[in-house]
Amino acid sequence: MFLIFPVLSYGNNITLDEMLNMIDIKNFDKKIYDLEIEKNLSKEKFYNLDSYNGVKGEADIKYDYDKDKYDTNGKLTYGDFYVNISKNKISNDIDNGDSEIICGINKNLKNIIYSKSDSELKKLDYLKMKDKFYYLDKLESKKIDLINLYEEYKNNEFETKLKSNNLSKLKTEEKILKKSYELGAIPKIDLQTLQVSRENLEIELKILDKNLKKIKDRFLYEFNIDISNKTLADIQVKQIDISKYIPNIGERYLQSLDLDRKITIENINYLSYSNKVPDISLGIERKKETHNNTNSENRIFLKVSKDLFYYDVNLENEKINLAQQNINYRKENEKNISNQLKIQENYNNFYRNYIINKNKANLESNKYEIMKKKYTLGNITYVEVMDVFEDYLKFEVEAEKAKNLFNGYIYEIMVRGEKNHE
């Protein structure tokens, strides 16, 4: 993978905005989309060539055993132009036999007005836009995955720093409590409580350190971004009006459904036209015969053909498909409105949790400081201090997670509501 796409590298600091801006530069989905564009260009060339896609040739030879006679026929066709050659020859006849050459042009007037290739080209334009929407959907999902992984890394990083700092403090306090216990100033349970908390922090920090390394590897393998020696900046609060983004969310999907309807409508239009309008072929040809004397003649012909009382099951099925697509479009449109309301609801809930958890964390921090002072004054045991200490760590971590979740959700709204598909 890294031979195809050079690993993206940055300075010592990197922000979520920078990573989101660069993620669509080097990725496999872009390569696949570029190849899809080439495929559509090939289709466009094919439909534009229509019946002029190369020269078609055919030939056959028949031998009549009873008459000892050879009949040879050949035909070359290029679009509306054709050449027919035929020759009859008896084996024992010294004469060259009869030969005939017909050159002409035969044009179906029905296709001049509206041909199958015209219809396919029109549908191809819709398919091109659907391919673009599909690529943008993949890119959107990738960016949201990046936001989520960025949040996960920052949560683990914060928890690591928080518990590492408090582990250092516990080790210092453990030395003091150990001397106090040896002097008989405190009960053993106070020392044991601190030691258990210290051991638990050491175990947690080992796991957190492993998790951070794994997440760094995931940045490399999932997004081709090397952050092994980088510092990820905090997720900054975006000062945006989300009401400008939310109405755009889901719009691309609805437009894709509308393109499906347009493709079906085009099928209906062509099938209806093909069924109603007869095939009218107008041709001009020149015939030349050679047998001792040279004879030739010019001809103009008109040919009309039309199927009568024909039931077109394909046309009826397309009409049913369109009715189903119309129902599905209305259903998905209403579902999308509900989803947009859900996004607004999530935004409010995440903001509420962010504020509540921040207030709880501040409260628990103050309670922990108060409990430490009470212990210093001899009003409580160290067991009571450790109980508050565990709550303090818990709410500090929860507050950070709530903050990152809220800020990350704002980024997600921006990504999903980005107007990049017009």
Side-chain angles (χ1 to χ4, degrees), residues 85-119:
I85 302 173
S86 62
K87 185 173 182 179
N88 304 323
K89 187 177 187 307
I90 299 175
S91 297
N92 58 7
D93 192 347
I94 60 173
D95 195 355
N96 289 330
D98 298 329
S99 63
E100 179 182 271
I101 299 176
I102 299 175
C103 301
I105 179 172
N106 180 19
K107 187 67 177 178
N108 191 332
L109 301 182
K110 179 179 179 179
N111 290 336
I112 294 178
I113 301 173
Y114 193 10
S115 70
K116 179 65 174 176
S117 292
D118 293 333
S119 179

Side-chain angles (χ1 to χ4, degrees), residues 3-176:
L3 294 177
I4 300 175
F5 297 134
V7 177
L8 299 179
S9 183
Y10 302 84
N12 291 331
N13 295 318
I14 181 172
T15 67
L16 179 56
D17 290 282
E18 290 173 330
M19 295 173 78
L20 289 173
N21 288 336
M22 295 298 294
I23 197 173
D24 53 352
I25 295 178
K26 302 289 184 181
N27 67 77
F28 287 109
D29 293 324
K30 182 65 167 62
K31 285 283 186 180
I32 294 172
Y33 176 58
D34 289 341
L35 290 173
E36 198 65 32
I37 291 176
E38 291 185 24
K39 187 191 297 183
N40 287 331
L41 288 174
S42 297
K43 291 180 181 179
E44 186 174 5
K45 180 179 180 180
F46 173 78
Y47 293 134
N48 278 320
L49 286 171
D50 199 9
S51 60
Y52 289 87
N53 187 13
V55 178
K56 298 178 182 179
E58 55 183 81
D60 66 83
I61 300 175
K62 297 179 181 179
Y63 175 66
D64 189 329
Y65 183 80
D66 294 332
K67 297 180 181 180
D68 193 22
K69 179 181 177 183
Y70 290 92
D71 292 330
T72 304
N73 296 284
K75 183 176 182 179
L76 292 175
T77 305
Y78 177 63
D80 300 316
F81 300 92
Y82 61 89
V83 177
N84 293 332
I85 302 173
S86 62
K87 185 173 182 179
N88 304 323
K89 187 177 187 307
I90 299 175
S91 297
N92 58 7
D93 192 347
I94 60 173
D95 195 355
N96 289 330
D98 298 329
S99 63
E100 179 182 271
I101 299 176
I102 299 175
C103 301
I105 179 172
N106 180 19
K107 187 67 177 178
N108 191 332
L109 301 182
K110 179 179 179 179
N111 290 336
I112 294 178
I113 301 173
Y114 193 10
S115 70
K116 179 65 174 176
S117 292
D118 293 333
S119 179
E120 293 298 330
L121 282 169
K122 192 171 184 179
K123 290 190 292 184
L124 183 59
D125 286 337
Y126 300 143
L127 290 172
K128 286 179 183 177
M129 188 58 68
K130 280 181 63 67
D131 288 340
K132 182 180 180 182
F133 288 171
Y134 180 75
Y135 163 66
L136 293 174
D137 287 341
K138 298 282 283 185
L139 184 63
E140 178 184 294
S141 296
K142 199 172 187 68
K143 287 184 176 182
I144 292 174
D145 289 341
L146 175 66
I147 293 169
N148 292 335
L149 188 60
Y150 200 101
E151 288 177 29
E152 186 178 347
Y153 182 87
K154 293 303 295 182
N155 290 339
N156 278 268
E157 182 187 58
F158 174 83
E159 190 171 354
T160 299
K161 290 179 179 178
L162 174 69
K163 293 184 175 180
S164 179
N165 291 335
N166 281 277
L167 177 62
S168 299
K169 295 177 182 178
L170 286 185
K171 286 181 177 180
T172 301
E173 293 180 13
E174 184 179 4
K175 293 178 182 179
I176 298 173

Side-chain angles (χ1 to χ4, degrees), residues 110 274-279 304-312:
K110 179 179 179 179
S274 181
N275 289 342
K276 292 177 180 178
V277 179
D279 289 294
V304 180
S305 65
K306 178 72 174 70
D307 293 328
L308 301 176
F309 313 113
Y310 175 70
Y311 179 78
D312 192 341

Side-chain angles (χ1 to χ4, degrees), residues 205-409:
L205 284 169
K206 287 180 181 179
I207 301 301
L208 287 169
D209 183 62
K210 290 180 180 180
N211 288 343
L212 282 174
K213 290 178 181 178
K214 296 298 181 183
I215 295 175
K216 286 184 177 182
D217 290 340
R218 288 173 60 191
F219 273 110
L220 183 61
Y221 288 101
E222 291 183 29
F223 307 104
N224 209 27
I225 300 175
D226 183 8
I227 64 165
S228 56
N229 298 314
K230 315 300 177 187
T231 300
L232 273 62
D234 291 339
I235 305 176
Q236 299 297 323
V237 179
K238 284 287 184 180
Q239 301 297 327
I240 64 166
D241 181 3
I242 64 168
S243 63
K244 294 181 179 179
Y245 290 87
I246 291 179
N248 300 331
I249 295 176
E251 181 186 20
R252 190 165 58 237
Y253 176 63
L254 292 175
Q255 288 185 359
S256 183
L257 292 179
D258 189 51
L259 288 171
D260 288 333
R261 292 195 301 181
K262 289 180 178 179
I263 290 173
T264 303
I265 290 172
E266 177 56 31
N267 288 335
I268 292 173
N269 290 340
Y270 178 74
L271 289 172
S272 298
Y273 171 80
S274 181
N275 289 342
K276 292 177 180 178
V277 179
D279 289 294
I280 304 174
S281 296
L282 178 63
I284 302 174
E285 63 181 24
R286 177 179 176 81
K287 175 183 176 182
K288 182 178 181 181
E289 297 180 357
T290 59
H291 180 64
N292 296 328
N293 298 317
T294 300
N295 298 317
S296 63
E297 60 181 70
N298 297 320
R299 296 182 294 206
I300 298 177
F301 59 88
L302 178 67
K303 180 180 178 182
V304 180
S305 65
K306 178 72 174 70
D307 293 328
L308 301 176
F309 313 113
Y310 175 70
Y311 179 78
D312 192 341
V313 65
N314 293 326
L315 175 59
E316 296 306 314
N317 284 339
E318 288 298 320
K319 289 179 179 179
I320 294 172
N321 287 339
L322 180 60
Q324 291 173 330
Q325 288 170 340
N326 286 334
I327 295 172
N328 186 56
Y329 182 87
R330 291 194 296 270
K331 181 189 73 174
E332 293 299 327
N333 185 48
E334 292 178 0
K335 185 189 295 184
N336 190 60
I337 294 173
S338 176
N339 183 52
Q340 290 177 357
L341 294 173
K342 181 65 177 177
I343 291 170
Q344 180 68 65
E345 182 184 345
N346 289 340
Y347 173 86
N348 295 333
N349 289 336
F350 290 154
Y351 178 73
R352 178 198 62 191
N353 292 338
Y354 162 51
I355 298 299
I356 290 175
N357 279 281
K358 183 174 71 171
N359 292 337
K360 284 183 178 179
N362 291 334
L363 178 62
E364 291 300 322
S365 177
N366 292 334
K367 286 170 63 176
Y368 175 54
E369 293 299 326
I370 292 172
M371 295 298 282
K372 286 197 295 183
K373 289 180 180 180
K374 284 185 177 182
Y375 174 76
T376 303
L377 296 173
N379 296 332
I380 59 173
T381 65
Y382 204 80
V383 175
E384 294 175 277
V385 176
M386 284 293 97
D387 287 340
V388 177
F389 173 75
E390 296 296 335
D391 289 337
Y392 154 69
L393 291 183
K394 173 186 173 183
F395 283 105
E396 284 287 344
V397 171
E398 291 301 316
E400 183 68 14
K401 288 182 177 179
K403 182 191 75 171
N404 289 334
L405 180 61
F406 173 65
N407 291 337
Y409 196 65

